[in-house]
């Protein structure tokens, strides 16, 4: 599923095909906002957290968010697409001879860069794919954002997915970072000490950054430690990995019940 590292790689792939080139084709059947003009120059392709931004010379920026379903493909003009055209949500042709096609993204909108950015961008926390996110001051900021964005009762797993705290983590790095730090993602945030909060976001940033150049995600010499490994033996202790789904989106969380400590609230605190 698309997480911050996926979007970072997507931007890197689209950039040479689009950046600096003139727009020759723009189709976006469900676009919110104005369309850029044909022939205007594409001035940048940028990943911000899990958003992909394409900047146009005339002052508009296209924002797509892939959520669980979307993907960007790159084709030569005239080349057959690997998905049906009716699933295309944005088609961007450039005079480089490339066509970038975004399939099934639920969010496709443009905004004027000289105005207020969309709320979803304005609220984003530090981008964990950038090396700067590992600076002490940025990690302090992330811990401070946890305090404002995650009320008591929020689980650590939910807080890790909150892009206002820090941008880039999805279900994979949520599960992997909690394993690396040895804490159960179901732990209520108020039971997670500040040093552990800092450690888990720092680990997630390192894991995301380590994987920017890789096609296969890896957080362990053998691949991923827990994500996607339900029922398989923990790579550290051999206990079968567990999986649970929660929330409206059925987000999956994987963890080792032996290596990862749950710090539950007492019954009195819970009520
Ligand atoms: Zn284990």
């Amino acid at each position: 599923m698309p997480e911050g590292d996926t979007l970072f790689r997507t931007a890197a792939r689209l950039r040479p095909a689009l950046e600096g080139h003139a727009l020759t084709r723009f189709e976006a059947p469900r676009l919110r906002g104005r369309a850029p003009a044909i022939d205007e120059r594409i001035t940048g392709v940028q990943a911000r957290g899990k958003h992909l931004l394409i900047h146009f010379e005339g002052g508009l920026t296209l924002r797509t968010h892939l959520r669980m379903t979307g993907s960007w493909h790159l084709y030569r003009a005239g080349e057959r697409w690997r998905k049906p055209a009716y699933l295309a949500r944005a088609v961007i042709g450039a005079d480089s001879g490339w066509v970038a096609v975004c399939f099934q993204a639920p969010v496709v909108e443009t905004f004027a860069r000289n105005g207020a950015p969309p709320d979803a961008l304005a609220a984003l926390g530090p981008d964990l794919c950038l090396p700067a996110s590992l600076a002490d001051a940025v990690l302090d900021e992330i811990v401070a954002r946890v305090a404002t964005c995650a009320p008591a009762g929020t689980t650590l797993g939910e807080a890790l997915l909150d892009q206002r705290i820090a941008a880039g983590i999805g279900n994979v790095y949520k599960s992997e970072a909690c394993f690396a730090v040895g804490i159960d993602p179901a732990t209520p945030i108020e039971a997670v000490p500040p040093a552990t909060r800092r450690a888990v976001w720092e680990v997630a940033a390192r894991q995301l950054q380590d994987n920017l150049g890789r096609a296969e995600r890896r957080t362990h010499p053998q691949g991923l430690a827990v994500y996607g490994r339900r029922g398989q033996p923990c790579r550290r202790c051999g206990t079968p990995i567990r999986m649970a789904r929660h929330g409206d989106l059925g987000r999956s969380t994987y963890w080792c019940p032996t290596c990862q400590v749950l710090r539950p609230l007492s019954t009195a605190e819970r009520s």
Side-chain angles (χ1 to χ4, degrees):
M1 84 169 259
E3 306 205 9
D5 55 343
T6 314
L7 272 294
F8 198 93
R9 279 196 298 269
T10 300
R13 206 156 43 83
L14 298 188
R15 198 168 288 129
L18 301 180
E19 202 168 281
H21 296 282
L23 185 67
T24 55
R25 178 178 179 187
F26 185 90
E27 289 153 31
R30 299 184 187 177
L31 179 70
R32 276 180 47 193
R34 284 187 297 127
I38 296 303
D39 284 340
E40 72 175 281
R41 201 154 294 283
I42 301 163
T43 52
V45 179
Q46 186 191 0
R48 278 206 56 201
K50 296 196 262 177
H51 306 258
L52 187 87
L53 305 178
I54 298 178
H55 307 300
F56 299 95
E57 195 173 22
L60 288 178
T61 290
L62 175 75
R63 173 175 81 96
T64 56
H65 194 296
L66 305 177
R67 300 215 191 281
M68 307 295 275
T69 52
S71 58
W72 276 95
H73 293 192
L74 194 58
Y75 298 103
R76 281 288 179 189
E79 187 183 341
R80 190 185 167 84
W81 298 352
R82 293 188 305 279
K83 286 191 175 204
Y86 73 87
L87 295 177
R89 297 289 175 267
V91 182
I92 296 175
D95 66 359
S96 58
W98 290 100
V99 182
V101 187
C102 181
F103 291 100
Q104 290 169 288
V107 178
V108 180
E109 68 170 23
T110 56
F111 61 93
R113 287 192 298 281
N114 64 5
D119 291 346
L121 285 184
L124 278 185
D127 191 334
L128 299 178
C129 287
L130 301 176
S133 65
L134 291 167
D136 278 340
V138 178
L139 292 169
D140 288 344
E141 182 192 338
I142 291 170
V143 172
R145 282 171 176 259
V146 174
T148 39
C149 298
T154 307
T155 65
L156 174 61
E158 288 165 333
L160 283 164
L161 293 177
D162 189 335
Q163 305 294 301
R164 298 171 304 168
I165 295 173
I169 301 175
N171 290 334
V172 176
Y173 293 102
K174 171 190 69 180
S175 298
E176 295 297 308
C178 287
F179 177 81
V181 172
I183 187 163
D184 188 318
T187 307
I189 196 71
E190 63 272 28
V192 183
T196 309
R197 296 181 189 184
R198 190 186 173 93
V200 74
W201 266 274
E202 181 177 356
V203 163
R206 289 191 193 285
Q207 291 176 338
L208 274 158
Q209 291 173 36
D210 283 349
N211 280 292
L212 292 180
R214 291 193 190 126
E216 277 288 271
R217 288 193 184 117
R218 196 168 358 119
T219 60
H220 183 276
Q222 290 157 276
L224 293 175
V226 288
Y227 186 84
R229 301 193 61 245
R230 180 186 202 166
Q232 296 177 50
C234 171
R235 300 195 196 277
R236 193 182 285 156
C237 75
T239 305
I241 298 298
R242 296 185 62 185
M243 190 273 266
R245 288 187 187 279
H246 49 81
D248 296 341
L249 298 171
R251 291 178 170 282
S252 54
T253 301
Y254 294 81
W255 77 101
C256 170
T258 303
C259 292
Q260 292 174 257
V261 185
L262 179 66
R263 293 169 206 204
L265 292 174
S266 68
T267 319
E269 283 171 308
R270 226 181 256 280
S271 57

